[in-house]
Amino acid sequence: MSMKMKCNDIEPVKTVAPKYPVKESPWAHSGYVLVSFKISDNGSVYEPTVLESKSEPGGSWAQLFEEKALKAIKKWKYRNREKSCMAEQNFIFEVVE
């Protein structure tokens, strides 16, 4: 049985920002990662999955962004709930000069 109940009115009580991947490059890369995940009844995040990702210029950094986003979302925490549910989070990666 697969759980498809979408979370309503959720706010994280703990967030962790993904770290920008440090890698030598002649130019800055930007992009985003859209992650789907489940929130357990105790507020923990589990089974995160990348729904979509993109990096510019070119797509070579998308996988690096995905790894950082998945690592970060696993550390998020939500308030206790009656039932587990599904949620999504979009992470934006950009270099601010």
Side-chain angles (χ1 to χ4, degrees):
M1 181 168 117
S2 89
M3 181 194 58
K4 298 285 184 187
M5 188 175 99
K6 188 97 169 163
C7 296
N8 293 321
D9 299 327
I10 58 165
E11 277 193 50
V13 293
K14 177 187 173 192
T15 62
V16 173
K19 294 184 179 175
Y20 186 88
V22 178
K23 186 176 178 182
E24 287 190 32
S25 176
W27 52 82
H29 293 262
S30 62
Y32 69 89
V33 178
L34 178 60
V35 177
S36 172
F37 56 95
K38 295 178 183 177
I39 302 173
S40 70
D41 56 355
N42 71 2
S44 297
V45 170
Y46 66 104
E47 295 183 13
T49 305
V50 173
L51 296 178
E52 185 178 330
S53 65
K54 184 175 181 180
S55 69
E56 295 289 337
S60 62
W61 278 46
Q63 185 175 355
L64 291 170
F65 290 157
E66 289 176 13
E67 291 170 8
K68 298 298 184 179
L70 290 173
K71 187 174 182 178
I73 198 68
K74 289 177 186 177
K75 296 176 183 175
W76 284 37
K77 184 80 173 161
Y78 291 83
R79 294 195 196 300
N80 291 350
R81 317 184 48 75
E82 285 186 31
K83 294 182 179 180
S84 297
C85 60
M86 298 287 298
E88 293 179 2
Q89 178 66 42
N90 192 33
F91 291 99
I92 307 291
F93 290 85
E94 58 188 359
V95 176
V96 180
E97 296 181 23

